[in-house]
Amino acid sequence: MLKVAVIGGGPAGLMTAGTAAKTAKEQGISAKVTLLDGNNKLGKKLYITGKGRCNITNTSDDTYDTQDFLNNVVNNKRFLFSSISKFGASDVISFFENLGVKLKIERGGRVFPESDKASDITKALEKYCQKYGVEILLEHKVNNIADVTSYDKVVIATGGVSYPSTGSTGSGYEFAKEIGHTIIKPRPALAPIILKGKTPKRLEGLTLKNVGLKIIRGNQELFSDFGEMLFTADGVSGPLALSASSYITRDYFGSQLQIDLKPRLDFATLDKRILADFAKFINKQLKNSLDELLPKRLIDVVIEIADISPEKTCNSVTAIERERLVSAIKNMSFEIGGIDTLDKAIITSGGVDVSQIDPKTMESKIRKGIYFAGEVIDVDALTGGYNITIALSTGYSAGVGVING
């Protein structure tokens, strides 16, 4: 009998274990699959994913094209081509619906359980494992590879190091190093961005919707998108900023963050809009004439950036000053001071070097019989359900791989 151990009870581990047991049964192979998890319940990190609602995948591309999915992967998208081709967004949706989970699609193609309960996703994955006879051992901490040498094959699906309270302590990196794997330094991804200067503190708590955000280094544009963000005490967070952070977590030095407060208006159109407002409030002071254009808390900051006296009346603002005002609104720039810490990150960037893993089976190229799945691997993507799909997809490939490899 083939004995398989899967270390880690998150989405990658659960998918791996269930798929391995299912594959063995379908192929008439005698196998016992055991899932080992140090926590007292499965899917602990899933419970806080998507603010407890669990965004499992994304349908923003209606054709479910593999390449379109991979466009949302930040690091090592080529490595994921095989697994996403075999088990992508449409497969994730079918998988959970077949397990009785009703799903819904929200803004940006984000797919959630209809109940808004992450527990429904965990229960479905557990049901999948139980259906095919997976042995689940909770509160079973694996300290090193020697603890699982009695198994013929071992899958490391222990996650990264973000949210360590959920059990993501980086143990999988240590297991991988034990057998000679290279670990790409773990860094925070999908984390708040720290900005230099005192402006963020002045705007702390302010949420901006439908704004543009760019990350620029020299003449290179590293990231550009629009959506929602918010100011924190020392920087920015929210979906837009979190996605941007993943592009600079490995090197943020010399980078600028630029916010376009009116991305739907070009410079000329915005200038006309401001002229119209000035005509309406012709004798008002500048600081009291922008309420219809900007959130109140932003007005003083924008005027300050434009280097115009806030006491000036609208009819005395010069064309050159108005040009600076338009520029301040369209290009509010900050120097990036860093990325927040790993305990504030949604996921980990870094992990087991993908060049040492077979992308089709997830088997180690260094030690036969050892496999990897999920966040422990050096792959990461933007917000919107992509990272959970990657966990499920690599788990599926590993599950098939341990039986057929």
Side-chain angles (χ1 to χ4, degrees), residues 150-163:
S150 60
Y151 293 89
D152 301 304
K153 297 191 176 183
V154 174
V155 184
I156 299 170
T158 49
V161 284
S162 58
Y163 292 114

Side-chain angles (χ1 to χ4, degrees), residues 19-255:
T19 301
K22 177 177 182 284
T23 302
K25 182 177 181 180
E26 289 174 346
Q27 296 184 7
I29 295 171
S30 177
K32 181 175 183 180
V33 180
T34 303
L35 186 144
L36 310 167
D37 192 88
N39 290 315
N40 58 4
K41 66 178 180 179
L42 294 168
K44 204 166 181 183
K45 190 173 178 182
L46 274 176
Y47 282 94
I48 58 174
T49 302
K51 297 180 180 176
R53 298 172 60 221
C54 200
N55 180 191
I56 59 169
T57 195
N58 197 292
T59 66
S60 56
D61 170 49
D62 293 333
T63 65
Y64 299 102
D65 181 77
T66 298
Q67 191 54 55
D68 284 325
F69 182 96
L70 295 177
N71 287 340
N72 293 280
V73 175
V74 179
N75 288 298
N76 297 314
K77 60 185 67 181
R78 285 183 63 190
F79 172 81
L80 289 170
F81 184 86
S82 177
S83 60
I84 295 296
S85 297
K86 287 183 285 188
F87 198 89
S90 61
D91 303 292
V92 170
I93 291 168
S94 298
F95 174 81
F96 284 108
E97 287 181 337
N98 289 337
L99 286 168
V101 181
K102 293 183 179 179
L103 303 174
K104 61 180 177 179
I105 302 173
E106 296 189 358
R107 180 176 55 85
R110 290 167 164 80
V111 181
F112 293 89
E114 199 173 86
S115 64
D116 282 333
K117 293 180 179 177
S119 57
D120 286 355
I121 299 302
T122 304
K123 287 174 185 173
L125 285 164
E126 185 175 5
K127 178 181 174 182
Y128 178 55
C129 288
Q130 290 170 340
K131 179 180 178 180
Y132 293 103
V134 174
E135 178 186 33
I136 297 173
L137 301 180
L138 296 175
E139 297 183 305
H140 194 105
K141 183 174 170 56
V142 177
N143 296 302
N144 48 56
I145 287 294
D147 289 350
V148 287
T149 52
S150 60
Y151 293 89
D152 301 304
K153 297 191 176 183
V154 174
V155 184
I156 299 170
T158 49
V161 284
S162 58
Y163 292 114
S165 61
T166 64
S168 296
T169 59
S171 59
Y173 304 145
E174 298 307 313
F175 302 157
K177 283 194 282 189
E178 280 182 53
I179 59 173
H181 276 272
T182 301
I183 304 300
I184 306 303
K185 182 181 177 181
R187 296 174 174 88
L190 301 181
I193 298 174
I194 296 168
L195 302 176
K196 294 184 179 180
K198 298 178 180 179
T199 299
K201 180 64 177 174
R202 290 170 61 186
L203 299 174
E204 182 180 1
L206 175 64
T207 296
L208 300 176
K209 295 183 178 181
N210 301 315
V211 296
L213 187 150
K214 289 182 180 179
I215 303 290
I216 305 292
R217 184 184 300 135
N219 295 321
Q220 185 181 10
E221 184 177 281
L222 304 179
F223 174 87
S224 179
D225 204 351
F226 75 97
E228 184 177 327
M229 57 167 283
L230 64 94
F231 282 95
T232 65
D234 55 6
V236 287
S237 188
L240 195 54
L242 295 180
S243 287
S245 74
S246 290
Y247 286 87
I248 54 172
T249 188
R250 301 189 185 200
D251 182 13
Y252 63 82
F253 294 103
S255 299

